[in-house]
Amino acid sequence: MKGDVLPVILAEDSVGDRDIVGIMGHSKAYPVLRSSSPADTFALAQRLRTLMSWQKPTVRLGAELQTIDDVLRMVHILPNALYEAEGAPFDPEWSTHEFRADTFPADTDEFQALLPLILDVEMPVDELEESFVQALGAGPATIDWAGAWPDVPELGLVADPMFEGIQAVFNSDDLDWERPAHDHTVFVHLSKGSAFPTTGAEWLAGQVGARVLGGPLLGW
């Protein structure tokens, strides 16, 4: 049902007795919402953004566009972006499999053969994120906002602008948006160097009426 918030348990990856997050990557990512509603997912991410002490002026938008209609909706809001053709066979005479809107094949069958198309761009923040969510189809997608959380001395939390941020993943339940799902997840990223990252994630979630649902996972 639209708007339902569903529970999720994500296991912590490990190698032997070692937490994989502890030996790779720079952040730990905690899921704080899983919802069947893209709008609710985006709204929670926006509420989390109000807690950040600093935000990067650009945002990453990534999506797998599985149908021609998906592509055309996205081209409407990002007409000058590059779209990488995952479905095109390798051709050594081509230096790239990237297309702009004005270079897509006019023939429907040729266009279909390029699918899925991958979009992965950096854009100025607060310009296209909501339109991007509205244009998504059933393919996995992500919006990544980087920045820094506030210092919370009483919890031992110190901001780290290198590795902190928010990630809203659509139609997928993993950070790399490679594993398909029927719902959408919001993750908070905290530096793995933070003294108490789990405490920090719990504090952040609590500020917006959410809760940590599992993790941590290997982040950025």
Side-chain angles (χ1 to χ4, degrees):
M1 181 180 298
K2 184 175 181 180
D4 284 351
V5 176
L6 307 175
V8 58
I9 300 296
L10 299 179
E12 187 168 317
D13 292 330
S14 63
V15 176
D17 295 330
R18 295 175 296 169
D19 172 8
I20 227 173
V21 178
I23 58 176
M24 298 176 65
H26 299 289
S27 76
K28 293 185 175 184
Y30 297 80
V32 296
L33 175 81
R34 178 166 286 178
S35 173
S36 59
S37 166
D40 289 352
T41 303
F42 180 72
L44 183 79
Q46 291 291 78
R47 294 201 300 275
L48 283 165
R49 286 183 59 208
T50 67
L51 302 176
M52 302 188 84
S53 61
W54 173 83
Q55 295 182 51
K56 185 179 178 182
T58 59
V59 61
R60 179 198 181 198
L61 307 176
E64 180 183 286
L65 308 173
Q66 298 179 338
T67 71
I68 292 176
D69 285 344
D70 289 350
V71 176
L72 296 180
R73 285 195 307 274
M74 200 60 69
V75 163
H76 182 70
I77 64 170
L78 289 165
N80 298 316
L82 287 173
Y83 296 83
E84 183 177 349
E86 291 286 290
F90 177 74
D91 183 343
E93 295 184 3
W94 284 63
S95 59
T96 180
H97 282 151
E98 293 180 326
F99 293 79
R100 293 189 187 275
D102 59 356
T103 63
F104 287 136
D107 180 81
T108 300
D109 290 339
E110 291 182 14
F111 199 160
Q112 186 74 34
L114 300 178
L115 300 176
L117 291 175
I118 302 299
L119 170 74
D120 199 342
V121 296
E122 290 271 341
M123 300 293 297
V125 73
D126 289 330
E127 285 194 4
L128 294 174
E129 292 99 304
E130 187 168 8
S131 296
F132 172 81
V133 173
Q134 293 169 351
L136 292 175
T142 188
I143 306 178
D144 304 352
W145 294 271
W149 299 115
D151 293 337
V152 188
E154 63 270 27
L155 298 180
L157 302 177
V158 180
D160 186 342
M162 290 294 292
F163 308 117
E164 296 181 338
I166 304 159
Q167 185 172 1
V169 182
F170 301 88
N171 302 314
S172 180
D173 59 7
D174 75 316
L175 296 169
D176 295 323
W177 46 289
E178 292 179 346
R179 187 170 56 234
H182 295 296
D183 43 27
H184 324 289
T185 305
V186 177
F187 295 91
V188 293
H189 288 255
L190 291 95
S191 171
K192 75 173 186 181
S194 173
F196 306 104
T198 301
T199 301
E202 291 170 345
W203 182 85
L204 291 168
Q207 303 307 299
V208 295
R211 63 187 178 89
V212 172
L213 301 174
L217 299 179
L218 173 62
W220 297 330

